[in-house]
Amino acid sequence: MSLGPQQVGRRERNKQQKLDRITAAASELFAEHGVDEVTTQQIAEKADVGTGTVFLYVKTKGELLLLVQNVHYRKALERGRVDAENISDVLEAVMAIIGSIVRCNRTQIDNGRTYLREMVFGNPDEPHHAEALNIVGQTEKAIAGVLRRGGRVGEADAATLAHVVSAIMFLSMAATINMAHGVDEIEADIRGQVSVLLPH
Amino acid sequence: MSLGPQQVGRRERNKQQKLDRITAAASELFAEHGVDEVTTQQIAEKADVGTGTVFLYVKTKGELLLLVQNVHYRKALERGRVDAENISDVLEAVMAIIGSIVRCNRTQIDNGRTYLREMVFGNPDEPHHAEALNIVGQTEKAIAGVLRRGGRVGEADAATLAHVVSAIMFLSMAATINMAHGVDEIEADIRGQVSVLLPH
DNA sequence: CATCAATAGTGACTATACTCAGAACTGAGT
DNA sequence: ACTCAGTTCTGAGTATAGTCACTATTGATG
C-alpha cells in the first residue's frame, strides 16, 4: 500500500479509465438520442465493457444520467450565481440563477425531465444522486442569499422562500403540461409565480 | 344501436364487469403489497382476465394506479373542502385542505409517492391521468377560494399562490428525504412553507 | 337460423434493465 | 517465479411491463 505520491496502481488506473469510458459513452449517447432511446447494452458496447460492468459503477440507468448531467447543472449554477451578482433588482437576480438552470435543463429536452424525476424519486443512497441533491441545496442557498440582500425578507424566511422557489422550478420544468414549452415560456411561468412571493 | 333506456347490451355489461374486476383486483393488491411488489400478471389472474386484457383498459401499470387512487383523492379533497369552510383563520383553513390530501397520500406509503410520480411524469393523454390532474386543479381552486376570503390577497394572486402551494405539497410528499416522515411531519413541513407565503 | 363485420379478449412473445455465479486479473507475500 | 486471497469483470440469465397476431364473442341483417 505504501506507494509513491503519483503512484496509483494499475488497478485503480484501470477502474478510473473504465468509469471515464462509461461516462463518455453515456454522455454522447444520451445527448444524441435521449436517455429513453438508449439501452444500457449500447452504452456498454460503446464504452467497450461488459453489460454487467456498467452496473458496477452505477446502481441504475437513472443514476448514470445523474452522473453525466450533474456536472452541467453545477456549471449552470455557477454561471447563474455570477450573473446574479451584477444585477441589483432582487427578482431579476433570482431569475438570473433560475434562467441559467432552466437553460441547462432544456438543452436536452427529454433528459432534463428524466433528470428531475430521478432526483426526486431515485435512491438517495447512491453518490451521484446525493450530488444532485447537493446542487439543489446550493441553488437554494444562492437564491436565499439574493433574497436577503435588501433586508426586505427576514433572515429565516429567505431560506424557506428559496426552498419554495426550488419547488416552483421543479414543477415548471417537470410538468408534462409544460413539456413542449421552450426556455422562455418556462422562465415566464416561473417568474409569474416567484414575483408574487416577493414583497410587493 | 337503438336500445331501450336501461338496455345496455351484453357487450357493454361485460366490459364494465371486466373493468370492475380489474379495478378491484388492483385496488386490493396495491393496498396490501404496494404497487412495486405486484405484477400485472397477478392483477390479471386475480381479476380472472388475460394479461393482455389489462392493457386494454389502461395503457400502463402506472395508470392503473391512478385509476384506483383517483377516487380516494377526490373524496379527500371534498372532505378537506368541507372542513375548511368551518375554519375562519386562512392558514388553518388552507391547512385543512392540505392535511386531508396528505393523509390520503400517506395511507399507502409507497403508493402515494408513485401516484405523484405518475401524475407529473406520466402520459396525460390517458383519461385517468387527466382525471388526476383535474383533481389537482380542483384542489388549487379550493385553496385559492380560501385565500381570497379576507381580501388580503389579490384576486389574481390567489390563483398563482394556490399553484405555488400545490408545488410545495407535491415536493414535500414526493421527496425521498421525506419518505420516512409521517403525516404530522409532512404537514408541519408544508405549514412552514405556506405560512411565509401569506401576508404577515 | 346463418352470415358476417366489428369489437373484445387472449397469452405467447419481445424488449430491456438489472443480477449473479463464475472467470480473469492484480499485486503482496514467499 | 509461484501462490493465493482479494478484487474486478463478464455476459448468459431473470423478471416483468407491454405488444400483437390471432381467436372468440357479439349482435345487426337477410
Side-chain angles (χ1 to χ4, degrees), chain A residues 113 116-117 119-122 124 129 133 157 160-161 163-164 166-168 170-171 174-177 192-193 196-197 200, chain B residues 113 116-117 119-122 124 133 157 160-161 163-164 166-168 170-171 174-177 192-193 196-197 200:
Chain A
R113 289 184 76 219
L116 296 173
R117 193 186 63 203
M119 199 171 69
V120 171
F121 293 100
H129 190 291
L133 292 179
D157 285 0
T160 308
L161 275 177
H163 190 55
V164 172
S166 187
I168 293 169
F170 176 87
L171 269 194
T176 322
I177 305 166
Q193 292 172 68
V196 304
L197 301 190
H200 58 286
Chain B
R113 290 184 74 217
L116 296 172
R117 193 187 63 203
M119 198 171 69
V120 170
F121 293 101
L133 292 178
D157 285 359
T160 307
L161 276 178
H163 190 56
V164 172
S166 186
I168 293 169
F170 176 87
L171 269 194
T176 321
I177 304 166
Q193 292 172 69
V196 305
L197 302 189
H200 59 287

Side-chain angles (χ1 to χ4, degrees), chain B residues 116-135:
Chain B
L116 296 172
R117 193 187 63 203
E118 281 307 312
M119 198 171 69
V120 170
F121 293 101
N123 170 12
D125 293 341
E126 210 276 344
H128 306 300
H129 191 292
E131 161 86 357
L133 292 178
N134 179 275
I135 294 170

Side-chain angles (χ1 to χ4, degrees), chain A residues 11 15 50-53 57:
Chain A
R11 186 163 265 175
K15 246 170 68 159
T51 54
T53 307
Y57 291 90

Side-chain angles (χ1 to χ4, degrees), chain B residues 26-145:
Chain B
S27 188
E28 279 182 51
L29 289 172
F30 285 166
E32 186 160 4
H33 304 104
V35 67
D36 290 335
E37 302 301 312
V38 173
T39 68
T40 54
Q41 308 261 346
Q42 287 175 291
I43 293 165
E45 184 150 355
K46 179 152 191 165
D48 194 33
V49 298
T51 54
T53 308
V54 172
F55 294 97
L56 220 63
Y57 292 89
V58 292
K59 276 209 186 67
T60 67
K61 188 186 180 186
E63 281 153 3
L64 188 52
L65 182 67
L66 295 184
L67 162 64
V68 161
Q69 300 259 276
N70 277 340
V71 57
H72 299 312
Y73 283 91
R74 182 73 77 184
K75 277 185 198 155
L77 168 58
E78 205 37 58
R79 256 177 279 137
R81 196 155 25 195
V82 170
D83 290 353
E85 267 170 24
N86 301 316
I87 300 173
S88 58
D89 183 71
V90 170
L91 174 59
E92 294 308 321
V94 170
M95 285 308 298
I97 298 172
I98 292 172
S100 182
I101 296 205
V102 171
R103 276 189 294 280
C104 179
N105 185 258
R106 292 283 139 167
T107 44
Q108 294 176 19
I109 299 248
D110 275 358
N111 296 350
R113 290 184 74 217
T114 311
Y115 180 86
L116 296 172
R117 193 187 63 203
E118 281 307 312
M119 198 171 69
V120 170
F121 293 101
N123 170 12
D125 293 341
E126 210 276 344
H128 306 300
H129 191 292
E131 161 86 357
L133 292 178
N134 179 275
I135 294 170
V136 174
Q138 296 292 317
T139 305
E140 290 184 16
K141 208 171 261 178
I143 291 173

Side-chain angles (χ1 to χ4, degrees), chain A residues 22-94:
Chain A
I22 291 169
T23 307
S27 188
E28 280 182 49
L29 288 172
F30 285 165
E32 185 159 5
H33 303 104
V35 66
D36 290 334
E37 302 301 313
V38 173
T39 68
T40 53
Q41 309 259 348
Q42 287 175 290
I43 293 165
E45 184 150 355
K46 180 152 190 164
D48 194 31
V49 298
T51 54
T53 307
V54 172
F55 294 97
L56 220 63
Y57 291 90
V58 291
K59 275 209 186 69
T60 66
K61 189 185 180 186
E63 282 154 2
L64 188 52
L65 182 67
L66 294 184
L67 163 65
V68 161
Q69 300 259 276
N70 277 339
V71 56
H72 299 312
Y73 283 90
R74 183 72 79 182
K75 277 186 197 154
L77 168 59
E78 205 37 57
R79 256 177 277 136
R81 197 158 18 197
V82 170
D83 289 355
E85 267 171 24
N86 302 317
I87 301 173
S88 58
D89 184 70
V90 169
L91 175 59
E92 293 310 321
V94 170

